[in-house]
Amino acid sequence: MATMRVLVTGSTGLVGQAVQRVVSENPTEGEEWIFVSTKDADLTDFEATEALFQKHKPTHVIHLAAMVGGLFRNMKYPVDLLRNNLHINDNVLYNSHKFGVQKCVSCLSTCIFPDKTTYPIKETMLHLGPPHPSNFGFSFAKRMIDIENRAFNKQYGCKFTSVIPTNVFGPYDNFNLQDGHVMPGLINKIFIAKRDDTPFTVWGTGAARRQFIYSYDLAKLIVWVMREYEEIDPIILSVPEEAEISIKELAEMVIEAMEFTGEVLYDTTKSDGQLKKTADNAKLRGYLPDFKFTNMKQAVKETVDWFVNNQDIARK
Amino acid sequence: MAAQNGEAKRTKVPMRVLVTGGTGLVGQAIHRVVQEDPCEDEEWIFVSSKDADLTDPAATQALFERHQPTHVIHLAAMVGGLFRNLKYNLDFWRNNIRINDNVLHLAYENGVRKCVSCLSTCIFPDKTTYPIDETMVHNGPPHDSNFGYSYAKRMIDVQNRAYYVQHGCKFTSVIPTNVFGPHDNFNLEDGHVVPGLVHKVYTAKRDNKPLTVWGTGSPRRQFIYSYDLARLMVWVLKDYQEVDPIILSVGEEDEISIKECAELVVDAMDFKGEVIFDTTKSDGQFKKTASNAKLRKYLPDFRFTPIKQALKETCDWFTENYDTARK
């Protein structure tokens, strides 16, 4: 009988696949990892979730499953994003408590922070004001994970915690141009431009700066959090401010990785969005001063290569 | 809608109103308002936990199917005093989230035209400026002692807005300040300041002992009589069109000190014994003023029951119903 049985929800997604990679590279004796997805259980349904926990009797949980969407879906379906995520999260946390799970790590996001805020953002600022209205359903549901973690700890002493990644990217991402995020969007756009021999257009001036975290690095850190991080309060998982890159630099890395030699245009009529959204990774640095993130160029190359070689299964 | 004779003008619309939490402090007051002024084409159904466990979606669905309401006033909640909240933050969060989600979602699914839920001034940010107004609900974390309850209540407003954006539903909420009246919870551990004073004076009078008020008596609070709140909630149900919440309270000018409140209760109950202020006990915040500017804009002529009369009615009710009152 395994001493540690880890249930990973949302395991077929961007982060889940990276956790699978990390675990397969470093198998530990006495550990059993169970990767599940919607095919195994509809987590919005309490009975189905309970049956899943009953079947696997996990000692630990990494909870990545969520209903997510791009800007348009978020704006159109706030009820669904709010309710489905509230239900999923409550079902997973409640059953984690019911089945005596020793540690449950859930996944938040920097996009749920207060819309009006100072920078850099820190973990303590999560609830200091309302989130951006465009995704308020999703944001409030995610914030409630932190509330529920604290309530479970206060009433039952449960060790439920959460992580807050900045922009994640990697293989198995959603490369859809409508719904996806900036990195997979650039990759898909350049792929199409290269294939169709058309120019590649970047929206905005390219000056906006962002912190990106490779899914593989995030996965390593999430596994560390599950094993060693003892706080209930969330922890931001991100490269430091010095590693921020501009959208222009990012585009150039992708262009190089994909060997795109066509024309590159910057449509400066399109909005840049916020110039900087810096998240502070001081807490992480306090715990792991020597953690080395994968070199950005290499991470981009691996992601690009995966996308090019997996056109049949890539979500787009 | 312009007010006439200081009374909230009401639009006539055929409706079947389901009132959850119908047997509580506010529910009973709505019952009184509706009985005093019955309208043709209106059916009011007051339900309580005896009729359905609202934490259960199937039971809530059955309730909606049975009554087919066109409107809902949603007052049901798991509530408690300071000690219960501190101990059971999770239960306060989970049960209220589920109650509210069941009621709102089934209201949507059953085509309810308007749903009015009840928030509370205690859910506002702990660190805030005063007076507080409706726009400030989500501007920071609530007081830690009842964060489970507070966040669950705040989510009503989030969910109302989500239903409006996605489905065009007219779900809204009210934010009363300190409510008091007949049918309150007069328990000294769990109850709030007015029922606590009423119960204490009753006991002091009965046992011929002094009345001890905790603190100096100088903090000031806005109180709203449940009967006035009920009248306003019926107005909100019929005529308030916003999704954003509205504070229902007397104005800042009608704030009274705890000392003045105690004196009014002492008068109302004809208590002749000694009144002591235990100044070793904390006063709590000096003022927690809520702005009722939004209400005044809609109903400039609404007249609140004078506090002396409201407290007298409450004390008389408690004295006459001592045996059955919640305490």
Side-chain angles (χ1 to χ4, degrees), chain A residues 20-37:
Chain A
Q20 293 199 51
R21 176 185 167 189
V22 163
V23 164
S24 65
E25 285 178 359
N26 278 295
T28 309
E29 204 174 306
E31 274 181 17
E32 188 189 335
W33 287 73
I34 305 134
F35 295 95
V36 297
S37 73

Side-chain angles (χ1 to χ4, degrees), chain B residues 181-253:
Chain B
H183 303 279
D184 202 343
N185 178 4
F186 293 82
N187 179 286
L188 292 173
E189 293 269 323
D190 280 350
H192 296 100
V193 69
V194 168
L197 281 171
V198 170
H199 191 175
K200 273 189 178 181
V201 170
Y202 179 96
T203 309
K205 192 176 169 185
R206 179 193 67 194
D207 301 347
N208 204 15
K209 292 218 164 76
L211 164 73
T212 306
V213 182
W214 284 7
T216 64
S218 55
R220 303 181 72 74
R221 297 287 184 267
Q222 288 150 300
F223 295 98
I224 181 168
Y225 188 28
S226 58
Y227 178 61
D228 296 335
L229 177 60
R231 286 188 292 148
L232 288 169
M233 286 191 76
V234 173
W235 167 77
V236 167
L237 180 74
K238 296 187 185 190
D239 288 314
Y240 177 72
Q241 302 296 0
E242 294 183 43
V243 172
D244 286 334
I246 179 168
I247 288 173
L248 301 179
S249 171
V250 298
E252 184 171 352
E253 58 286 4

Side-chain angles (χ1 to χ4, degrees), chain A residues 18 31 112 126 138 170 200-201 215 235:
Chain A
E31 274 181 17
I112 71 177
L126 181 58
F138 175 85
F200 159 59
T201 308
S215 57
I235 179 166

Side-chain angles (χ1 to χ4, degrees), chain A residues 75-80 82-83 87 90 94 127-130 136 140 144 147-148 151-152 154-156, chain B residues 87-91 93-94 101 105 138-141 144 147 151 155 158-159 161-163 165-167:
Chain A
M75 286 175 72
K76 203 168 168 194
Y77 303 110
V79 170
D80 300 344
L82 175 70
R83 291 188 82 237
H87 293 165
D90 184 58
Y94 186 80
H127 303 284
L128 291 187
F136 75 94
F140 273 110
M144 292 303 115
I147 298 309
E148 203 162 5
F152 268 108
K154 208 147 180 226
Q155 192 167 326
Y156 294 115
Chain B
K87 204 171 168 195
Y88 300 109
N89 263 296
L90 178 73
D91 294 345
W93 191 83
R94 276 192 96 236
D101 184 56
H105 197 65
H138 305 282
N139 283 358
D144 206 48
F147 75 90
Y151 275 112
M155 292 305 282
V158 175
Q159 205 153 345
R161 284 192 274 136
Y163 275 103
V165 168
Q166 188 170 334
H167 299 295

Side-chain angles (χ1 to χ4, degrees), chain A residues 69-86:
Chain A
L71 182 68
F72 298 112
R73 257 178 103 200
N74 265 289
M75 286 175 72
K76 203 168 168 194
Y77 303 110
V79 170
D80 300 344
L81 281 151
L82 175 70
R83 291 188 82 237
N84 289 334
N85 284 313
L86 277 176

Side-chain angles (χ1 to χ4, degrees), chain A:
Chain A
M1 198 63 174
T3 51
M4 188 191 259
R5 239 176 350 271
V6 188
L7 180 72
V8 182
T9 72
S11 65
T12 52
L14 167 64
V15 184
Q17 290 280 4
V19 172
Q20 293 199 51
R21 176 185 167 189
V22 163
V23 164
S24 65
E25 285 178 359
N26 278 295
T28 309
E29 204 174 306
E31 274 181 17
E32 188 189 335
W33 287 73
I34 305 134
F35 295 95
V36 297
S37 73
T38 43
K39 281 199 302 294
D40 302 280
D42 172 6
L43 298 174
T44 63
D45 178 60
F46 182 83
E47 271 82 35
T49 312
E50 189 182 34
L52 183 75
F53 274 72
Q54 177 66 36
K55 179 175 176 188
H56 296 293
K57 298 213 176 31
T59 58
H60 294 68
V61 173
I62 291 180
H63 173 43
L64 305 171
M67 178 178 176
V68 300
L71 182 68
F72 298 112
R73 257 178 103 200
N74 265 289
M75 286 175 72
K76 203 168 168 194
Y77 303 110
V79 170
D80 300 344
L81 281 151
L82 175 70
R83 291 188 82 237
N84 289 334
N85 284 313
L86 277 176
H87 293 165
I88 288 169
N89 298 333
D90 184 58
N91 289 338
V92 170
L93 290 176
Y94 186 80
N95 280 292
S96 292
H97 159 64
K98 185 172 175 188
F99 286 84
V101 162
Q102 291 164 37
K103 185 81 159 284
C104 178
V105 183
S106 297
C107 203
L108 271 47
S109 165
T110 43
C111 76
I112 71 177
F113 271 76
D115 183 36
K116 297 195 187 343
T117 182
T118 55
Y119 293 92
I121 54 183
K122 302 188 219 301
E123 293 87 349
T124 53
M125 293 158 68
L126 181 58
H127 303 284
L128 291 187
H132 194 273
S134 64
N135 64 341
F136 75 94
F138 175 85
S139 296
F140 273 110
K142 280 288 187 182
R143 288 178 178 205
M144 292 303 115
I145 291 178
D146 179 52
I147 298 309
E148 203 162 5
N149 284 347
R150 287 198 268 138
F152 268 108
N153 177 256
K154 208 147 180 226
Q155 192 167 326
Y156 294 115
C158 300
K159 285 241 199 96
F160 298 168
T161 188
S162 62
V163 300
I164 314 180
T166 46
N167 299 285
V168 194
F169 70 95
Y172 297 96
D173 202 344
N174 179 4
F175 293 82
N176 180 286
L177 292 173
Q178 292 275 331
D179 280 349
H181 295 101
V182 66
M183 170 84 76
L186 284 173
I187 293 174
N188 197 357
K189 271 191 181 181
I190 292 172
F191 181 88
I192 292 169
K194 193 175 169 188
R195 180 195 67 195
D196 299 348
D197 202 23
T198 50
F200 159 59
T201 308
V202 183
W203 282 7
T205 64
R209 301 181 73 73
R210 299 285 185 267
Q211 288 150 301
F212 293 93
I213 181 167
Y214 189 28
S215 57
Y216 179 57
D217 296 333
L218 177 60
K220 283 195 271 177
L221 289 169
I222 287 178
V223 173
W224 167 79
V225 165
M226 191 202 67
R227 291 189 214 268
E228 319 257 13
Y229 178 72
E230 297 292 292
E231 294 183 43
I232 307 299
D233 286 336
I235 179 166
I236 287 172
L237 301 179
S238 170
V239 298
E241 183 171 354
E242 315 76 87
E244 260 183 354
I245 61 171
S246 70
I247 300 302
K248 185 167 194 280
E249 286 169 289
L250 181 65
E252 284 165 0
M253 276 187 216
V254 178
I255 284 163
E256 198 184 312
M258 299 191 85
E259 290 176 1
F260 177 73
T261 49
E263 195 183 359
V264 180
L265 301 166
Y266 284 85
D267 181 357
T268 53
T269 67
K270 296 281 191 291
S271 161
D272 268 337
Q274 235 165 295
L275 191 62
K276 265 162 79 86
K277 282 196 204 185
T278 316
D280 185 353
N281 82 342
K283 189 174 194 178
L284 171 63
R285 280 298 172 214
Y287 279 101
L288 298 176
D290 300 322
F291 182 84
K292 277 199 262 295
F293 289 91
T294 306
N295 170 273
M296 189 65 185
K297 252 182 159 171
Q298 177 190 338
V300 169
K301 186 88 179 79
E302 286 178 15
T303 306
V304 158
D305 288 349
W306 183 88
F307 182 69
V308 168
N309 296 323
N310 289 278
Q311 281 293 296
D312 48 338
I313 60 166
R315 289 179 285 154
K316 58 189 180 335

